[in-house]
Amino acid sequence: MASYLVTGAAGFIGSVLAARLIKEGNKVVTIDNLSTGKESNVPAGCVFIRGNTYDTDVIAQLEKYSFDAVFHIAGQSSGEVSFENPEYDLKTNTLATLLLLDYCKKHGVKKFVYASSMATYGDHPEELVSETSEQIPKSFYAVGKLASENYMRIYSGFGIQCTALRFFNVFGIGQNLDNLKQGMASIYLAMAVNDRHIFVKGSKDRFRDFVYVDDVVQACINAVDVPRDEMFDVFNISNKRKITVEYINEMICRRIEGTTVEYGQGTPGDQFGIYGENQKAKEKLKWNPQIDFETGMNRFIDFVLSDANRH
């Protein structure tokens, strides 16, 4: 039995990861400020500390625990919100990482896994991006993620194996449908279910590379469990496939009859399109995504519709 800190377990990815670790017999502690997550998402058996990961008093509450690894999943995760409140974005996405890395250094935690983002690349609409592609962040959010990766590179010199997982568009059951500034498939699905009308900020030709949440959780676990020599490394967690905004909405409209789609102005710092090479994660992390977009999206829609019917 191992002991883990999973920040953000009241949120989407963190809650699924924490539940999986607990199911496998491990001890899990989480920190979450409930800004976008819900306390009801925190899995049974998970020790819950309410607060900000960038608050030194909150980090001090970890003194009584020892961890085999830290999964830092929490953080403000909207490019749009990062323009509205850059200081909060900086604290949640960069200062928090620095404090947690320092905690690991002081307490001998040997592994640190970070939820980074494809946003660090900026726009590469014509090409498949790999971990060595140029990084030109377009949002404050992306700048913060890239800064965190660089802090990790430095802290890896202190004996902490640091892994940055550049998540592409994560989606699936458990995603917050109340948050219309984060996600893409989840935003459009929420609009369709609630209003039978999808308002898209930006072009129908924009595209993303979608990864189902269960596959993302597996990547996090492999980052700790699969032995490798590098003390610092970054990996794309992607499906290597372009999915356009138009295709997502066609799929939703087929399932939720009577839904209309309208296109408007884009948002600041939004990437036009990006999709990612995943060969490095396949080779070094022994990671293979299992759920394609259509399977995952239908699973997500089924769940949301059955949930709506229950209420």
Side-chain angles (χ1 to χ4, degrees):
M1 174 171 142
S3 178
Y4 299 109
L5 174 66
V6 178
T7 67
F12 173 39
I13 300 167
S15 64
V16 181
L17 173 59
R20 166 86 183 267
L21 293 169
I22 289 166
K23 187 180 175 185
E24 292 177 355
N26 301 296
K27 183 175 179 183
V28 178
V29 176
T30 192
I31 300 171
D32 201 298
N33 65 4
L34 302 183
S35 59
T36 55
K38 298 172 184 170
E39 190 167 351
S40 57
N41 289 341
V42 178
C46 181
V47 177
F48 175 42
I49 299 169
R50 181 171 180 176
N52 292 303
T53 46
Y54 58 81
D55 184 337
T56 51
D57 291 339
V58 172
I59 300 294
Q61 292 180 50
L62 300 175
E63 294 292 331
K64 57 188 169 203
Y65 303 104
S66 63
F67 299 112
D68 295 282
V70 168
F71 295 95
H72 183 29
I73 311 296
Q76 191 292 112
S77 57
S78 162
E80 187 178 351
V81 169
S82 76
F83 282 92
E84 295 167 1
N85 195 341
E87 189 178 324
Y88 175 71
D89 182 84
L90 179 68
K91 287 177 180 173
T92 65
N93 280 321
T94 312
L95 179 57
T97 307
L98 182 58
L99 291 177
L100 287 164
L101 284 166
D102 208 51
Y103 168 85
C104 290
K105 180 188 171 192
K106 287 173 180 166
H107 294 85
V109 181
K110 294 299 182 192
K111 295 189 177 184
F112 187 92
V113 179
Y114 179 60
S116 190
S117 171
M118 54 86 180
T120 60
Y121 293 113
D123 268 330
H124 298 268
E126 302 305 322
E127 62 185 270
L128 191 64
V129 295
S130 76
E131 290 82 357
T132 56
S133 295
E134 188 175 14
Q135 293 177 286
I136 313 169
K138 291 182 70 179
S139 65
F140 297 130
Y141 164 74
V143 168
K145 289 291 186 185
L146 190 53
S148 287
E149 289 187 7
N150 282 308
Y151 279 118
M152 289 166 67
R153 181 183 285 106
I154 293 168
Y155 270 84
S156 69
F158 302 133
I160 307 164
Q161 187 176 52
C162 291
T163 310
L165 302 178
R166 290 178 186 154
F167 296 160
F168 281 64
N169 271 60
V170 186
F171 77 112
I173 292 170
Q175 199 157 14
N176 183 357
L177 296 188
D178 298 326
N179 183 356
L180 298 183
K181 292 189 175 180
Q182 196 278 319
M184 185 181 264
S186 59
I187 293 172
Y188 302 151
L189 182 54
M191 289 177 175
V193 169
N194 294 331
D195 305 319
R196 296 295 186 271
H197 182 70
I198 299 169
F199 180 73
V200 178
K201 297 174 182 176
S203 163
K204 66 180 172 49
D205 298 319
R206 286 176 304 134
F207 62 88
R208 293 292 185 270
D209 188 334
F210 284 87
V211 200
Y212 196 73
V213 63
D214 294 1
D215 285 329
V216 167
V217 162
Q218 190 62 57
C220 292
I221 290 169
N222 286 17
V224 164
D225 288 352
V226 175
R228 57 184 208 280
D229 295 330
E230 292 81 9
M231 289 304 286
F232 172 77
D233 220 338
V234 297
F235 297 93
N236 285 344
I237 303 303
S238 60
N239 256 314
K240 201 176 174 180
R241 183 180 167 202
K242 293 181 181 181
I243 303 288
T244 66
V245 167
E246 184 176 39
Y247 184 73
I248 301 165
N249 287 324
E250 282 172 356
M251 201 167 169
I252 292 170
C253 290
R254 273 200 302 275
R255 294 292 311 275
I256 302 173
E257 291 180 10
T259 300
T260 53
V261 184
E262 177 188 355
Y263 291 90
Q265 285 293 109
T267 56
D270 190 33
Q271 289 165 283
F272 182 85
I274 187 163
Y275 70 126
E277 175 60 75
N278 57 15
Q279 192 59 36
K280 185 178 174 184
K282 286 180 174 179
E283 288 174 5
K284 286 194 174 182
L285 294 183
K286 311 297 182 209
W287 176 78
N288 263 302
Q290 302 296 309
I291 300 162
D292 64 25
F293 178 72
E294 290 77 9
T295 303
M297 195 64 195
N298 278 314
R299 194 180 286 183
F300 191 15
I301 294 170
D302 286 343
F303 177 82
V304 169
L305 291 177
S306 66
D307 197 49
N309 290 336
R310 279 199 297 274
H311 297 90

